[in-house]
Structure formats: structure tokens, C-alpha cells
Amino acid sequence: MGTIKKGILGGFSGKVGTVVGGSWKGISYMRSLPQKVKNPRTEVQVSQRTKFAITMFYLKPMTAFLRTGWKLYANKQSPFNAAMSYVLANAITGSYPDYDIDPSKVLVSRGSLLPASGYDTDVTGGSITIMWDDNSGISNAKATDKALVAIVNPTKGEAACDTAGAERMTCSHNLNLPADWAGDE
């Protein structure tokens, strides 16, 4: 049974006959009941599902991080879905069935702030140090900007993240890695 919330012309939630109504992020919607799907599993469908699965496996360990990094660019969708959409469109390489993700094309954060430049890394023991050049004062970059750091271990399907990293003027950030990541890429 459906419930009308805003009078006769407003949105409704629930099922009325073959129509389902609801609201998501303040947007009222109506849709028909789903039909029984005869899943033909065409090559195009399986190809897209493969891309989707690879992207999901890669991004899922960073869900909380992506909520911060994409929150301003998630128009009528969740921040995670905005990141998924971007990676599907820009970072998938290869051809079916041998898809992969190019980490250099993945965006875990999006915005107008000028990124740091001159990246380098140093892995020592159980930690990684990320270094960059201080480009404060160029465009909108400030010395006190905080680094957003995400280290992904695609082999294990895990990520180590920090949403409040070192300031831009510090030029480096150290992040401890899980002990079982030793030797992984």
C-alpha cells in the first residue's frame, strides 16, 4: 500500500498496483515494478558487469575516504557512485575479458584545489613516505592545505587512507602500512 506524503499532487512511497514510489536525497520518483529478467548474459552485458566488478573491488576499501573526496561532486548521486562513474569512464584499461585499472587515472578526490606536484615515494619497513614539492601561493594552493592520502593494495583488496594528512608546506607524509602488505605492490 502506498502512502501520499504531500497531498494528491505530491510524491508517494510504497506500491500502488504496478507502480512503486519513493524518495532518495529529496527527489521523489516513481517506477514500474521490475519485470522478470531473462538474463541473456550477452557479451556486452558480461563485459560491463566485469568492468563494474573490477571497479567495485578496487574502490570498496576506500568507501569512507571517497565520501570525503567526492562529496562536493556527487550531484544527485552518492559520492561513492560519483567515484565509480569516473573510474568506469576513465581508468579501465584492456579489453574483455582482460580488464584492469590504471591507478594513475583513478581520482579518489575531486575539486578545484591545485594538487601538489613533484611526487615521490619511499617504502621503508612497514611504512610509506609520500613526498611532494611545496607549490603554495600558486593559484589557490595554501601552505596549510591538508593532504588526502590513499594507498591501495589491489592484490589484497585493501586500502590505507588518511583524510587529514600533513600540510602542503611540510612536503611529506608518512603512513604506516599493515604488516601483511610486506612485499606487495
Side-chain angles (χ1 to χ4, degrees), residues 31-122:
R31 61 181 166 86
S32 64
L33 283 174
Q35 302 293 321
K36 286 187 179 182
V37 177
K38 294 179 182 173
N39 198 345
R41 293 190 180 150
T42 65
E43 186 172 333
V44 174
Q45 284 177 326
V46 174
S47 173
Q48 185 62 25
R49 289 173 185 168
T50 302
K51 288 179 187 178
F52 195 87
I54 290 168
T55 304
M56 179 66 81
F57 181 78
Y58 192 88
L59 294 180
K60 192 172 182 182
M62 297 183 283
T63 301
F65 186 86
L66 294 170
R67 285 185 189 131
T68 299
W70 280 86
K71 70 181 170 189
L72 299 178
Y73 286 85
N75 190 14
K76 296 187 179 180
Q77 60 183 331
S78 71
F80 185 84
N81 286 353
M84 279 281 295
S85 180
Y86 182 88
V87 171
L88 282 167
N90 298 289
I92 301 288
T93 61
S95 56
Y96 178 74
D98 298 317
Y99 291 122
D100 204 0
I101 291 184
D102 181 351
S104 69
K105 295 181 179 177
V106 172
L107 285 186
V108 294
S109 178
R110 190 162 193 183
S112 60
L113 184 61
L114 181 71
S117 60
Y119 298 101
D120 199 10
T121 59
D122 181 36

Side-chain angles (χ1 to χ4, degrees), residues 122-129 174-178:
D122 181 36
V123 180
T124 311
S127 68
I128 186 168
T129 302
N174 189 54
L175 187 66
N176 291 326
L177 301 174

